[in-house]
Amino acid sequence: MAESDAITSLLHRLSRGESRAEAELLPLVYAELRAIAARHLRGERAGHTLSPTALVHEAWMRLDGDDTLAPADRRQFFAIAARRMRQVLIDHARQRDAAKRGGPAREAVTLSSLTTGEENSVDLLALEQALEQLQAFDARKVQVVELRYFGGLDMSDIAEVLGISRATAQRDWDVARTFLYQALA
C-alpha cells in the first residue's frame, strides 16, 4: 500500500509541474509498465520489431509529452499507460501496412480473454476498428475493455476508476466482449 501511496503522491506532484517527480516516478512504475507491455506483445507475430522495453519507452514518451495528463491515482495512471501502449502498437501496425505493397499486412493479437474460451488470433487494426465501432455505441464499454484487457485491471479496480459499481463494470465487460467477438469473427 505504501508504494501505491508513493505513486499517487508523485502523480500529484507531477500534475503540479514538478519535473523532479517524473524521475522519481519511473523507477516505481517501470516493472508494472513492462509487464503490461509484455502482455500486449504476447500475441504478436514472431519477429515483431517492438520489444516490451521499446513499447514502454515509446508509451512513456507519449505520456511525458501530454501536458493534460493528470491521473488521480495509480490505477488511472496504469490505465492511461495501457491505452498509450495500445496506440503505439496501432500506429506501428499502420506504418507497417503503409510500407507494404500489394495489400495490407496484418498484426496478429491473441484475444483469449475477449473470447468465450478458445484462443483466437485477430488483426490488431481490425480490433481497433471494432473498438471504434463500440465507441460510437458506448464509450464506457471501450474504457472497460481498455482497463481490463489492455491494462490488466480486475473488475473492482475498473469500477473504482470509472466510478461505477462492480456489477455494472462486469455487465459492460460482458456486452463489450460479446460485441468484439462478433465483430472480429
Side-chain angles (χ1 to χ4, degrees):
M1 190 62 137
E3 183 175 302
S4 180
D5 292 340
I7 291 170
T8 300
S9 173
L10 286 168
L11 289 169
H12 288 267
R13 287 178 44 206
L14 191 60
S15 69
R16 289 191 305 262
E18 293 183 35
S19 58
R20 189 165 169 232
E22 182 181 342
E24 294 175 34
L25 178 64
L26 185 58
L28 291 177
V29 299
Y30 187 81
E32 194 160 348
L33 289 173
R34 197 164 187 298
I36 292 169
R39 200 170 29 247
H40 278 299
L41 292 170
R42 191 174 302 136
E44 291 288 331
R45 64 180 165 73
H48 195 281
T49 56
L50 285 176
S51 67
T53 301
L55 183 54
V56 168
H57 289 255
E58 181 65 31
W60 185 262
M61 287 190 312
R62 291 183 184 199
L63 287 168
D64 186 37
D66 188 353
D67 294 333
T68 63
L69 182 69
D73 59 21
R74 176 187 174 282
R75 288 184 186 108
Q76 281 188 353
F77 171 77
F78 285 114
I80 292 167
R83 183 176 302 136
R84 293 298 188 276
M85 287 182 203
R86 185 178 124 234
Q87 291 168 344
V88 169
L89 288 172
I90 290 164
D91 290 347
H92 184 75
R94 286 181 178 147
Q95 289 171 355
R96 186 169 175 263
D97 280 358
K100 293 282 183 179
R101 293 190 177 140
R106 298 297 185 191
E107 298 277 339
V109 178
T110 302
L111 293 176
S112 58
S113 65
L114 290 178
T115 65
T116 55
E118 297 178 19
E119 275 199 16
N120 289 332
S121 213
V122 298
D123 180 287
L124 184 58
L125 295 177
L127 174 60
E128 178 63 13
Q129 289 173 349
L131 286 170
E132 287 172 2
Q133 290 171 357
L134 183 58
Q135 177 83 18
F137 172 66
D138 190 332
R140 189 179 70 207
K141 287 177 178 50
V142 173
Q143 290 178 307
V144 170
V145 170
E146 288 173 340
L147 295 170
R148 174 81 173 170
Y149 181 73
F150 295 105
L153 296 175
D154 64 25
M155 285 301 155
S156 298
D157 291 340
I158 292 168
E160 186 177 325
V161 167
L162 297 179
I164 58 177
S165 72
R166 187 187 184 293
T168 299
Q170 184 64 53
R171 279 191 302 273
D172 284 354
W173 171 247
D174 292 341
V175 170
R177 187 175 60 185
T178 301
F179 177 89
L180 292 172
Y181 183 71
Q182 291 173 347
L184 297 172

